[in-house]
């Protein structure tokens, strides 16, 4: 993507998130969004037809990023597992093999942090619960699609339950911290990684009876 286009779209995203903190998506006008993004209406229409198209594209971007994150976390986890089998000593081996939960969490966290004000709003205002649910569903779909051909997970309903469990848990953990901030982000990070790891193991343990 051209740098100027990428910069323009980022400005539109940021403007959208600022506006959606104070009003419903369907109440935001193109003129208002363009003005907030410091562009004209003509520039907006070069990229989108409606305000809602901005959110749809943003969710697709998050989905694509999550698929990449899952693939890379799995690749790193498999590599770390091979290193452990070869006798190498790794720091926090349970968190990095056979799936790299540290990479997964940190990558997911970076997406959240880039839009922290928006997600903080989601965590505190119940009127935005539908948006929180949208992001949970994006993560759930990415999990389902990534593991669609995983050995033993040929049951779509079982895979859906597992993906829902992980996705809902991950989003809820993060928004709960944003809402309460009872501990430092670093302390939250370490605990969240352990929780996600154990939840993941529960899901994979469900798979064992189906394997020969």
């Amino acid at each position: 993507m051209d740098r100027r286009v990428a910069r323009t779209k980022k400005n539109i995203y940021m403007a959208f998130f600022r506006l959606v903190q104070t009003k419903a998506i369907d109440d935001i006008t193109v003129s208002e969004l363009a003005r907030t993004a410091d562009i004209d209406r003509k520039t907006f229409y070069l990229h989108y037809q409606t305000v809602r198209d901005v959110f749809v594209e943003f969710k697709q971007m998050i989905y694509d990023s999550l698929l990449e994150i899952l693939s890379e976390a799995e690749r790193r986890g498999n590599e770390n597992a091979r290193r452990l089998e070869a006798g190498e000593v790794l720091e926090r081996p349970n968190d990095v093999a056979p799936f790299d939960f540290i990479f997964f969490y940190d990558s997911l966290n970076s997406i959240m942090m880039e839009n922290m004000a928006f997600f903080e709003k989601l965590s505190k205002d119940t009127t935005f619960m539908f948006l929180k649910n949208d992001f949970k569903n994006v993560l759930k779909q990415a999990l389902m699609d990534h593991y669609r051909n995983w050995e033993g997970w040929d049951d779509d309903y079982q895979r859906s339950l597992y993906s829902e469990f992980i996705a809902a848990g991950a989003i809820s953990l993060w928004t709960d911290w944003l809402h309460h901030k009872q501990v430092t982000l670093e302390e939250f990070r370490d605990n969240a990684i352990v929780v996600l790891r154990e939840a993941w193991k529960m899901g994979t343990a469900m798979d064992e009876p189906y394997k020969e």
Side-chain angles (χ1 to χ4, degrees):
M1 182 186 297
D2 181 271
R3 284 186 178 181
R4 289 174 298 180
V5 172
R7 184 167 56 249
T8 296
K9 288 197 169 189
K10 183 176 181 179
N11 288 342
I12 292 173
Y13 289 151
M14 294 302 99
F16 172 81
F17 289 136
R18 283 198 296 272
L19 291 170
V20 84
Q21 290 179 49
T22 60
K23 57 175 61 180
I25 292 177
D26 292 333
D27 291 338
I28 300 172
T29 66
V30 170
S31 295
E32 186 178 25
L33 181 54
R35 184 169 59 252
T36 305
D38 196 26
I39 60 173
D40 55 33
R41 286 168 54 92
K42 183 178 179 180
T43 300
F44 177 88
Y45 284 120
L46 286 175
H47 306 289
Y48 309 101
Q49 292 184 323
T50 69
V51 171
R52 188 166 284 276
D53 288 342
V54 177
F55 188 53
V56 171
E57 182 182 79
F58 181 76
K59 288 195 295 182
Q60 182 63 45
M61 182 183 70
I62 296 295
Y63 169 82
D64 293 340
S65 296
L66 288 171
L67 282 182
E68 293 179 6
I69 289 169
L70 285 165
S71 294
E72 180 62 14
E74 191 168 49
R75 186 197 68 77
R76 291 180 181 222
N78 289 334
E79 176 60 27
N80 288 331
R82 286 192 288 270
R83 292 167 65 188
L84 287 170
E85 290 175 1
E88 188 172 343
V89 177
L90 300 180
E91 185 178 357
R92 298 175 64 170
N94 289 333
D95 292 330
V96 298
F99 184 89
D100 195 329
F101 292 98
I102 294 178
F103 173 82
F104 175 73
Y105 171 82
D106 286 344
S107 298
L108 185 60
N109 186 61
S110 68
I111 292 174
M112 300 289 192
M113 292 297 287
E114 285 176 5
N115 304 282
M116 187 168 183
F118 174 65
F119 281 100
E120 192 159 13
K121 183 71 174 179
L122 291 187
S123 73
K124 296 178 179 179
D125 193 333
T126 56
T127 61
F128 288 88
M129 287 299 293
F130 74 99
L131 291 178
K132 178 181 175 181
N133 194 56
D134 274 334
F135 282 101
K136 181 266 294 181
N137 287 335
V138 169
L139 177 54
K140 175 183 177 180
Q141 191 62 53
L143 285 165
M144 290 184 66
D145 290 346
H146 180 74
Y147 289 110
R148 188 166 300 282
N149 297 315
W150 193 16
E151 181 184 356
W153 285 96
D154 54 353
D155 185 324
D156 285 341
Y157 181 64
Q158 188 181 47
R159 183 168 57 248
S160 175
L161 289 178
Y162 167 59
S163 299
E164 173 75 20
F165 183 66
I166 295 295
I171 298 298
S172 292
L173 283 175
W174 213 85
T175 52
D176 182 72
W177 178 81
L178 279 174
H179 186 58
H180 300 290
K181 294 185 180 176
Q182 295 173 314
V183 297
T184 65
L185 181 59
E186 185 63 27
E187 187 176 353
F188 166 75
R189 170 186 180 269
D190 288 340
N191 282 278
I193 288 171
V194 172
V195 171
L196 286 172
R197 183 192 74 208
E198 293 306 310
W200 202 287
K201 285 183 177 179
M202 287 175 63
T204 55
M206 290 167 57
D207 184 34
E208 292 302 322
Y210 295 85
K211 290 183 178 179
E212 297 181 356

